[in-house]
Amino acid sequence: MQLLLGATLIDGTGAAPVSDAAVLITDGRITAAGPRQAVSWPADAEVIDLSGLTLLPGLIDCHDHLAAHGYGLPQRWGLQEPHSTVHMRTAAVLQQTLATGYTTIRDAAGLDVGFKLAMAEGLIVGPRLMLAVNIISPTGGLGDRVSPSGHDCCVVFDPMLPPSVANGIHEVQHVVRAMARAGADVIKCATTGGASSRPGHGPKDIAFTKDEMRALVEESHALGRRVMCHALGGPGLRMAIEAGVDSIEHGCYLDEDPELLAMMAEYGTFFVPTLTVYVFHRERSAPHVRERGRELYPHHLASIQQALEAGVKIVAGTDAGGHEHNINARELQYLVEAGLTPMQALQSATGWAAECLGLERDLGTVTPGSLADLIAVDGDPLQDIALLQDVQRIKLVLQGGAVCVDRRVEQLVH
Ligand SMILES: [Zn+2]
């Protein structure tokens, strides 16, 4: 039994902070939380003094690509270095990501189930993982690996990352089942191009038909998987929402059709804008990508502001991997700059994020019954959301009650 004592608690539900809090942990789960005087604990509880720190739920990034290490074709296709080196690199990213206070990651394609198995066995450490495995799209869509000059991907087939191109209802059903077989916890699909997709398949170009999308959502839900859908704008965005996907990833042009956000609010569809990746696309990507990134930027901001007004839950995701790793908390700063309050930005990476994953009973809030995934940080993120990007200020990281990172000693030394 552990007792976290003395911190200011921000519990991930949006409730006001509680100063001088006590959080009791029994067998890896939170059994009591609140002001010190409202919590009782046995005399033999191990007391962890967090005076002067802010205690939060472990952070969640709902759109990451932990196994991606660059946007260039050689990196994307795994031609740059031996696969073993890539896997080691990915394992290092997992460890570093956990050390930045991110205790759960939804990987939006590219990470195979082997990493989860290795973690369960204790071979490597990292955040809890929810895996999409691969991106399902039709021929010519986001999941179709063809180079700009028309060449097929030349990488050896990896059964843990099954082919993800599907045309027609039957193929869609087959590929969804294949993803589930390969360990997908969530089904990722794409109904539009993106900023970084090839010329000719842009953010408003549709992929899939209504019947294919309905089949995809129905099959995924039948298998107990939620659907996260890459959709930026145009008819593919509407089609995804109407088909009943559970989250819209990117959603840059939601502002162009007022009905869309109203529908998302009604259906409970989450919005994962992934602002971080578009900063990269605007500033550092290939010329056609930079142009797309700059064009969509004002729409993206308007979409977020309208989503707030419509009551759509906004969830933090960085789309990291192609650009950088271990910058997950940058998204919270961008969300605040886009109009969220600091408290809403924290919810987007805690309580709302857990809801988006369907794991709100276990994760995202400091409430009795939840897993003790917690972080203690130096400073008040409601005053300065950017402090979460400074790894030295992430003083303590607990996952299921186990101490993964403890930088409190350094705090005393310096
Ligand atoms: Zn992505």
Side-chain angles (χ1 to χ4, degrees):
M1 207 172 266
Q2 298 143 293
L3 181 75
L4 309 181
L5 205 58
T8 298
L9 172 64
I10 300 175
D11 70 5
T13 68
V18 173
S19 58
D20 196 18
V23 175
L24 190 62
I25 301 169
T26 311
D27 296 331
R29 288 197 182 257
I30 296 160
T31 42
R36 180 193 294 250
Q37 62 276 14
V39 175
S40 56
W41 58 87
D44 62 349
E46 176 201 348
V47 177
I48 300 176
D49 179 19
L50 299 180
S51 305
L53 300 177
T54 305
L55 186 62
L56 303 156
L59 301 173
I60 302 171
D61 188 314
C62 286
H63 190 132
D64 200 330
H65 297 275
L66 291 160
H69 306 289
Y71 269 111
L73 211 54
Q75 293 96 338
R76 275 182 143 173
W77 284 8
L79 307 173
Q80 188 81 353
E81 52 191 4
H83 286 186
S84 49
T85 310
V86 180
H87 293 330
M88 299 290 189
R89 196 178 294 291
T90 302
V93 168
L94 286 165
Q95 181 175 17
Q96 290 154 8
T97 301
L98 178 61
T100 63
Y102 276 77
T103 52
T104 299
I105 299 282
R106 182 168 72 167
D107 191 86
L111 194 71
D112 73 53
V113 75
F115 292 90
K116 220 165 128 178
L117 298 176
M119 238 182 271
E121 231 186 277
L123 300 175
I124 57 172
V125 296
R128 296 179 197 279
L129 296 174
M130 176 168 270
L131 303 180
V133 176
N134 221 337
I135 304 172
I136 305 177
S137 80
T139 298
L142 208 67
D144 189 8
R145 284 189 170 191
V146 175
S147 80
S149 55
H151 288 279
D152 267 343
C153 184
C154 39
V155 177
V156 177
F157 173 67
D158 180 347
M160 299 321 291
L161 295 172
S164 61
V165 174
N167 297 292
I169 290 170
H170 292 299
E171 279 186 23
V172 164
Q173 289 167 329
H174 166 73
V175 170
V176 168
R177 290 168 187 164
M179 289 304 151
R181 183 180 60 193
D185 307 298
V186 59
I187 299 300
K188 167 87 181 282
C189 63
T191 56
T192 75
S196 69
S197 54
R198 63 183 162 77
H201 187 51
K204 295 187 188 178
D205 293 321
I206 193 167
F208 278 134
T209 64
K210 281 184 185 177
D211 288 345
E212 287 169 324
M213 270 310 288
R214 276 200 209 104
L216 186 147
V217 173
E218 202 171 297
E219 191 59 32
S220 303
H221 288 174
L223 294 174
R225 269 80 172 174
R226 292 194 174 188
V227 178
M228 59 186 299
C229 182
H230 164 113
L232 275 71
L237 176 60
R238 172 178 274 269
M239 182 177 70
I241 297 166
E242 286 179 345
V245 303
D246 301 283
S247 64
I248 291 291
E249 310 294 308
H250 318 305
C252 312
Y253 290 100
L254 282 166
D255 69 315
E256 289 199 325
D257 182 348
E259 277 179 23
L260 298 182
L261 283 160
M263 283 162 57
M264 287 174 70
E266 187 190 333
Y267 301 163
T269 318
F270 292 88
F271 177 21
V272 191
T274 68
L275 291 166
T276 307
V277 74
Y278 293 100
V279 175
F280 171 81
H281 285 329
R282 282 199 302 279
E283 293 171 1
R284 288 191 282 152
S285 280
H288 80 280
V289 179
R290 287 205 297 271
E291 195 184 316
R292 286 170 176 170
R294 285 196 284 265
E295 209 282 322
L296 65 79
Y297 181 50
H299 292 281
H300 213 177
L301 291 181
S303 298
I304 289 170
Q305 281 147 16
Q306 290 172 23
L308 286 170
E309 287 161 24
V312 173
K313 282 181 181 161
I314 294 172
V315 174
T318 46
D319 210 356
H323 48 106
E324 269 170 282
H325 285 295
N326 308 320
I327 42 77
N328 307 76
R330 227 182 256 174
E331 184 72 12
L332 307 192
Q333 179 189 334
Y334 293 143
L335 286 170
V336 168
E337 288 168 7
L340 273 69
T341 64
M343 185 62 96
Q344 287 171 326
L346 290 177
Q347 285 175 274
S348 79
T350 56
W352 291 344
E355 285 179 41
C356 177
L357 268 46
L359 297 175
E360 64 274 12
R361 285 190 188 170
D362 286 325
L363 302 173
T365 58
V366 186
T367 44
S370 283
L371 288 161
D373 286 11
L374 297 160
I375 61 171
V377 306
D378 171 24
D380 180 2
L382 295 176
Q383 295 298 320
D384 176 15
I385 196 78
L387 75 83
L388 296 171
Q389 297 167 45
D390 180 356
V391 70
Q392 293 307 321
R393 298 180 77 170
I394 312 298
K395 294 296 180 189
L396 187 70
V397 180
L398 297 184
Q399 209 181 25
V403 176
C404 304
V405 174
D406 191 350
R407 298 191 182 90
R408 290 175 304 151
V409 179
E410 296 166 44
Q411 187 188 17
L412 297 176
V413 173
H414 296 297

